[in-house]
């Protein structure tokens, strides 16, 4: 029996995953949590074999959360689940210890196959993620989402995360998560490099 823990903050996605796993005799979903904080609290008392983790969470960045989990609990396999199909994000997640990466457009059988595959200590990529990784690297930069552009523009104006959060009526952790995602997305080391790239390439 494969013991599973799901980290997903969208109720419809969480319920869909739960329904898939309930039909699988070899998989037991122990818990579904909606934040990084709840995940780390559960791991104090629960040891799943696999964590299916959304990388965009309300209180934390999945890239960092994966690294935190693997540092504290190296035996647990982390399977990333995301709508983000950027090569740099996929690579960063894998560098941080993930055993696989699944896009949310994956078929149900892919998710089940992924869980069984990582339990065999093999890496798994869904079809969409695999196709992205096979694409040659080019100079074409990823496109900013509307929200990312809003936040990056305000960062460039010198606003703090808290000030940006207040202006956009979102939690400060959401701003922090977007900032970290953009660093990974554009493969830069710090905010100064991100702003310089954005201005040079006319992203904002």
């Amino acid at each position: 029996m494969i013991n599973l823990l799901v980290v997903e903050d969208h109720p419809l996605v969480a319920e869909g995953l739960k329904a898939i796993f309930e039909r699988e005799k070899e998989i037991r979903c122990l818990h579904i949590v909606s934040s990084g904080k709840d995940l780390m609290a559960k791991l104090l008392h629960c040891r799943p074999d696999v964590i299916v983790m959304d990388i965009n969470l309300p209180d934390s960045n999945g890239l960092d959360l994966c690294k935190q989990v693997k540092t504290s609990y190296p035996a647990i396999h982390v399977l990333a689940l995301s709508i983000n199909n950027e090569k740099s994000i996929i690579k960063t997640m894998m560098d941080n210890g993930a055993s696989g990466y699944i896009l949310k457009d994956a078929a149900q059988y892919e998710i089940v196959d992924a869980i069984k595959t990582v339990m065999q200590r093999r890496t798994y990529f869904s079809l969409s993620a695999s196709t992205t990784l096979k694409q040659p690297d080019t100079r074409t930069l990823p496109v900013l989402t509307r929200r990312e552009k809003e936040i990056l523009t305000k960062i460039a104006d010198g606003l703090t995360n808290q000030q940006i959060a207040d202006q956009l009526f979102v939690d400060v952790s959401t701003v922090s998560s977007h900032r970290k995602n953009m660093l990974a997305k554009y493969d830069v080391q710090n905010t100064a490099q991100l702003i310089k790239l954005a201005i040079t390439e006319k992203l904002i």
Side-chain angles (χ1 to χ4, degrees), residues 158-196:
L159 274 66
T160 65
N161 283 0
Q162 186 62 63
Q163 289 171 326
I164 296 170
D166 292 342
Q167 289 191 11
L168 297 180
F169 304 103
V170 298
D171 192 86
V172 67
S173 62
T174 300
V175 177
S176 179
S177 179
H178 277 295
R179 184 192 290 256
K180 290 178 180 178
N181 276 337
M182 285 188 282
L183 292 177
K185 187 173 187 175
Y186 292 99
D187 195 23
V188 292
Q189 299 301 311
N190 53 53
T191 302
Q193 291 180 5
L194 178 63
I195 294 172
K196 181 178 179 181

Side-chain angles (χ1 to χ4, degrees), residues 8 10 12 19 30 35 38 46 49 86 96 104 111 114-115 120 127-128 140 145 148 154 168-169 178 194 196 199:
E8 172 58 62
H10 291 91
L12 285 177
L30 302 176
S35 69
D38 289 345
C46 168
D49 299 304
E86 298 290 347
N96 285 358
K104 287 188 177 179
I111 296 173
I115 293 167
Q120 298 171 6
L127 182 59
S128 297
T140 303
T145 65
E148 286 174 342
K154 293 182 183 300
L168 297 180
F169 304 103
H178 277 295
L194 178 63
K196 181 178 179 181
I199 294 172

Side-chain angles (χ1 to χ4, degrees), residues 4-24 27-29 31-33 51-54 79-82 102-104 106-108 110-112 115:
L4 195 70
L5 200 155
V6 176
V7 191
E8 172 58 62
D9 66 316
H10 291 91
L12 285 177
V13 178
E15 287 301 316
L17 291 171
K18 182 179 178 181
I20 292 172
F21 302 142
E22 284 178 346
R23 295 195 294 268
E24 295 295 321
I27 296 174
R28 178 171 57 189
C29 185
H31 301 284
I32 297 178
V33 298
I51 296 174
V52 177
M53 179 189 296
D54 188 351
L79 186 60
L81 181 68
S82 178
I102 301 231
L103 273 294
K104 287 188 177 179
Q108 293 184 11
E110 287 189 272
I111 296 173
V112 174
I115 293 167

